[in-house]
Amino acid sequence: MQSDRGNPRLKFLDRYLGIPIVGVLGVAHRLRGRHAVPETWSSIGILLTAGIGDAVVATGVLADLRAEFPDARIVLFVTANNASFARLLTVPDEIVELPVRQVWRAVREVRARDLDLIVDLGAWRRFDAVLARLGGARAAIGLRTPGQHRHYAYDVVVDHQRRHEIENDRRLVAALGLVSNSEPSVPMPATTAPLADPYVVFHLWPGGANFEERSWPIESWKAVAAEMAARGFTIVLTGGPNEFDITQTIVDDWTAAGIPVRNAASGSWSESLAWLAGSAGVVSVNTGVMHVAAAVGAPTVALNGPTSGTRWGPRGPFTRCVASPMVPDGYLNLGFEHDDRFARCMEAITVPMVLEAWDSLRAEASIAGR
């Protein structure tokens, strides 16, 4: 069954049913009057229904919320797209997985938490806006994103800006009087590196829409792996449960070519965190694992084709973005657009470009003792 994330039917319904629903809710809301953020409040819901990367980026804001409002009850609302990762987080008092195919049940789940405030960190889904409006909170805060027609549902509206998405998250919580400056961070389980010998993690598999366009050619990955092996590294390939078999095919091919390589796809998040944190570094397409790797402090090289490193690049102590010369700052705005002119933009990233970024990053990390 196709994942809900990137599901074209759900996107169609979200737009062509969601926009009029939000419009009607907005009219009714304006007639009653929008509410200001209450001076005192004790509970807050955070809507975070998109991907793992969005959840990682939001961890800085969540940490600052907890530090500023230590007695507040924080409820994080997620979906099947990011729930497995979100359950690692220690800041929320409760994590609620919402059913995106059952809107009214999702509304009931939100209302059952009896929240004072709702902050919607999403940029385009009308599903989120409906939940924010009908969630029963005293005030709802969300983004006005050009062309998405979703902001009518909110009491406090913040204009979405084409900066790194962490800045949009920070501007949303600024409506609470909170100055958020923390960078993303991921709680680490007590563990040691799975391998004693030095290794590099490769993550080949982008999530969400435009999978093929955001993938780097396997032949290029193999060439980088051969170079890493020549430098004394074992290669570890990560991936989700559905990617174990295809990853094993690659492992078999590279092993036959004399490249030391391990298949770590389909592991638990605790296992994946151990692989990432214990590595000499990570090379990844721009996807959730890339954000996780950077947040746990692993030196991270991100390969960006249609995705803008400025907007969605990794945030961490040691990072590099390698952009496609065909479209240096990407063209994606909200993540699901498509432009045939750049369908092969990832192929324009060369092996020497990636190795140059790796060498520069490793030198920087070594000076810092990483």
Side-chain angles (χ1 to χ4, degrees):
M1 182 174 68
Q2 184 177 20
S3 169
D4 287 343
R5 189 180 182 203
N7 185 302
R9 181 173 180 272
L10 290 180
K11 285 183 177 177
F12 179 89
L13 293 173
D14 183 84
R15 182 170 184 84
Y16 292 102
L17 287 182
I19 288 176
I21 291 172
V22 171
V24 170
L25 291 174
V27 169
H29 186 45
R30 285 195 298 274
L31 290 175
R32 290 193 297 268
R34 287 190 167 123
H35 303 149
V37 174
E39 291 185 6
T40 60
W41 52 273
S42 61
S43 60
I44 185 169
I46 306 295
L47 287 170
L48 189 59
T49 67
I52 291 169
D54 302 272
V56 177
V57 169
T59 56
V61 163
L62 290 171
D64 290 335
L65 268 175
R66 175 55 74 211
E68 184 71 15
F69 305 103
D71 298 324
R73 178 167 57 96
I74 300 175
V75 181
L76 181 63
F77 296 99
V78 297
T79 65
N81 294 330
N82 56 8
S84 62
F85 171 79
R87 292 189 180 101
L88 298 172
L89 304 181
T90 57
V91 166
D93 297 289
E94 184 180 9
I95 296 171
V96 180
E97 183 178 338
L98 298 174
V100 298
R101 295 171 183 260
Q102 302 175 53
V103 178
W104 301 117
R105 181 182 152 204
V107 169
R108 290 195 298 271
E109 291 280 2
V110 177
R111 293 185 68 87
R113 270 68 195 181
D114 192 25
L115 300 165
D116 293 322
L117 296 173
I118 291 177
V119 179
D120 176 10
L121 297 185
W124 63 267
R125 276 189 177 185
R126 272 62 53 167
F127 172 79
D128 301 349
V130 169
L131 297 182
R133 178 68 275 129
L134 298 180
R138 294 160 63 190
I141 303 167
L143 290 169
R144 173 168 40 213
T145 307
Q148 301 309 303
H149 310 289
R150 64 195 299 274
H151 61 281
Y152 311 109
Y154 305 118
D155 295 290
V156 178
V157 176
V158 174
D159 286 319
H160 182 271
Q161 295 183 355
R162 292 195 179 194
R163 302 167 66 186
H164 197 284
E165 288 304 312
I166 197 172
E167 299 300 334
N168 287 309
D169 290 352
R170 289 169 172 170
R171 293 172 65 249
L172 282 165
V173 297
L176 309 176
L178 171 63
V179 177
S180 176
N181 293 310
S182 293
E183 289 294 316
S185 62
V186 177
M188 278 295 301
T191 185
T192 57
L195 283 182
D197 295 331
Y199 64 91
V200 179
V201 172
F202 287 2
H203 189 79
L204 285 60
W205 316 115
N210 299 343
F211 177 90
E212 292 185 359
E213 188 174 324
R214 295 167 58 212
S215 298
W216 202 40
I218 296 299
E219 296 78 9
S220 298
W221 282 111
K222 185 176 182 179
V224 173
E227 289 289 339
M228 294 291 188
R231 300 175 190 195
F233 293 110
T234 295
I235 314 302
V236 175
L237 303 182
T238 53
N242 297 329
E243 292 149 355
F244 181 86
D245 290 342
I246 189 170
T247 300
Q248 188 58 46
T249 300
I250 294 169
V251 167
D252 293 342
D253 177 65
W254 292 7
T255 300
I259 299 171
V261 58
R262 294 273 299 269
N263 185 353
S266 194
S268 68
W269 267 112
S270 293
E271 293 169 332
S272 295
L273 287 174
W275 281 115
L276 295 171
S279 69
V282 178
V283 183
S284 175
V285 293
N286 194 309
T287 193
V289 169
M290 172 207 73
H291 288 287
V292 175
V296 300
T300 303
V301 175
L303 310 185
N304 296 295
T307 306
S308 167
T310 303
R311 295 279 306 282
W312 290 291
R315 304 282 294 211
F318 308 107
T319 65
R320 289 287 187 280
C321 283
V322 181
S324 168
M326 187 181 294
V327 52
D329 198 34
Y331 74 82
L332 294 176
N333 178 28
L334 299 175
F336 51 78
E337 301 86 358
H338 183 73
D339 191 327
D340 287 335
R341 294 175 299 170
F342 306 117
R344 303 172 72 89
C345 62
M346 288 290 282
E347 296 179 17
I349 297 175
T350 66
V351 170
M353 290 168 61
V354 175
L355 292 172
E356 180 182 358
W358 170 265
D359 290 338
S360 169
L361 185 60
R362 276 306 316 164
E364 176 185 313
S366 295
I367 291 172
R370 173 59 170 83

